[in-house]
């Protein structure tokens, strides 16, 4: 699992990065929102950890809002010294999974991350996403439906449709598929086989091939 950390307090940033890497996560850390924004578009992340008051064009709240405008729905936790109820409400209204007030225990951070990844949370307003007029995806139960009929998916197919839904109308790169679905160890031919298997259970041509780059769910 790969995490992006945006935190401008150097000592805290280094402590969080060292702790998370020590328990098995891969972490890219940034002190500036501009650098974090660029990284999200060039790399693959399972979770975003954002401080709010950071240098750069955006604060943590507006950075998440900007990413969501681009349909990048990556689970996000705010880690901030802003402890007021208004700030917390703003964070959740922006679409975060969780909001942690500083100071905090690193074990608490670990547990919050585990819960966010387990839920693979989406914007709270998007519990059901329309794939097309006939198909929909339940983001709470991770279930694909044709009208009201549940479509049986294999574990790999379920992981793939979840990834495509999170990045709908965006290209899911081959690197992202390898990293998220197969942990970086897969034969490219197997990727094509699994994509074709998923395609047979979805509307025709809704998964577009971007030759040499990846795939896009056009919904």
């Amino acid at each position: 699992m790969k995490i992006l950390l945006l935190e401008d307090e150097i000592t805290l940033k280094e402590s969080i990065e060292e702790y998370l890497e020590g328990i098995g996560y891969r972490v890219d850390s940034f002190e500036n929102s501009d650098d974090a924004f660029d990284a999200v578009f060039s790399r693959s992340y399972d979770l975003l950890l954002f401080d709010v008051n950071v240098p750069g064009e955006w604060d943590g709240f507006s950075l998440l809002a900007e990413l969501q405008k681009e349909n990048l729905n990556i689970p996000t936790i705010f880690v901030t010294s802003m402890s007021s109820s208004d700030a917390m409400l703003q964070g959740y209204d922006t679409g975060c999974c969780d909001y942690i007030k500083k100071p905090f225990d690193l074990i608490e951070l670990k547990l919050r991350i585990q819960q966010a990844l387990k839920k693979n949370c989406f914007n709270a307003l998007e519990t059901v996403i329309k794939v097309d007029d006939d198909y929909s995806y339940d983001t709470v139960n991770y279930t694909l439906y044709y009208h009201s009929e549940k479509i049986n998916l294999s574990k790999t197919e379920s992981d793939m449709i979840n990834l495509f839904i999170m990045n709908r109308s965006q290209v899911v790169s081959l690197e992202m598929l390898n990293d998220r679905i197969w942990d970086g160890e897969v034969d490219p031919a197997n990727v094509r086989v699994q994509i074709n298997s998923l395609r047979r259970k979805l509307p025709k041509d809704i998964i577009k091939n971007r030759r040499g780059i990846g795939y896009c769910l056009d919904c």
Side-chain angles (χ1 to χ4, degrees):
M1 292 289 185
K2 196 167 184 179
I3 294 173
L4 183 149
L5 169 64
L6 174 60
E7 173 58 68
D8 67 327
E9 294 181 35
I10 304 300
T11 301
L12 179 59
K13 177 174 72 70
E14 292 175 349
S15 295
I16 292 174
E17 185 174 8
E18 181 180 359
Y19 177 76
L20 293 179
E21 289 181 342
I23 58 175
Y25 295 108
R26 288 176 290 167
V27 181
D28 288 343
S29 60
F30 302 91
E31 301 165 28
N32 184 293
S33 63
D34 301 328
D35 295 334
F37 180 85
D38 291 340
V40 171
F41 283 93
S42 61
R43 307 172 198 175
S44 170
Y45 294 103
D46 297 285
L47 183 83
L48 307 176
L49 284 178
F50 284 172
D51 189 6
V52 176
N53 292 320
V54 292
E57 181 175 350
W58 304 279
D59 63 19
F61 293 150
S62 58
L63 176 57
L64 178 56
E66 192 69 22
L67 293 174
Q68 290 180 340
K69 287 179 185 177
E70 302 295 332
N71 289 324
L72 290 173
N73 296 295
I74 304 171
T76 302
I77 298 175
F78 287 120
V79 180
T80 175
S81 58
M82 298 176 65
S83 58
S84 71
S85 297
D86 287 344
M88 186 183 301
L89 286 171
Q90 184 178 354
Y92 281 105
D93 285 345
T94 305
C96 73
C97 293
D98 210 339
Y99 189 104
I100 305 176
K101 300 175 185 178
K102 298 177 183 177
F104 57 88
D105 192 292
L106 289 172
I107 294 177
E108 177 187 358
L109 177 62
K110 169 188 170 183
L111 296 174
R112 301 284 193 101
I113 288 172
Q114 287 175 341
Q115 286 301 306
L117 291 172
K118 181 179 179 181
K119 293 186 293 184
N120 203 5
C121 61
F122 295 81
N123 186 313
L125 298 177
E126 295 184 295
T127 58
V128 176
I129 293 174
K130 293 286 289 182
V131 178
D132 75 348
D133 290 339
D134 299 315
Y135 290 78
S136 60
Y137 183 75
D138 184 335
T139 65
V140 176
N141 298 304
Y142 314 121
T143 303
L144 181 67
Y145 289 95
Y146 175 74
H147 297 298
S148 60
E149 180 183 351
K150 178 179 177 181
I151 297 176
N152 292 322
L153 301 173
S154 69
K155 174 64 166 59
T156 299
E157 291 168 347
S158 180
D159 289 343
M160 286 194 300
I161 189 63
N162 198 61
L163 182 60
F164 281 127
I165 289 290
M166 288 181 66
N167 297 276
R168 57 197 182 280
S169 300
Q170 300 289 320
V171 173
V172 175
S173 67
L174 298 172
E175 176 189 1
M176 189 183 297
L177 283 163
N178 288 344
D179 191 39
R180 302 280 189 91
I181 309 300
W182 289 278
D183 201 23
E185 299 292 336
V186 63
D187 185 327
N190 188 34
V191 176
R192 291 192 295 271
V193 168
Q194 295 295 334
I195 290 289
N196 288 334
S197 175
L198 179 59
R199 276 176 167 151
R200 288 192 289 270
K201 299 179 180 181
L202 286 167
K204 184 179 180 181
D205 296 330
I206 200 165
I207 298 180
K208 307 290 187 183
N209 187 6
R210 300 291 183 256
R211 188 173 298 277
I213 301 174
Y215 300 89
C216 177
L217 183 69
D218 188 17
C219 70

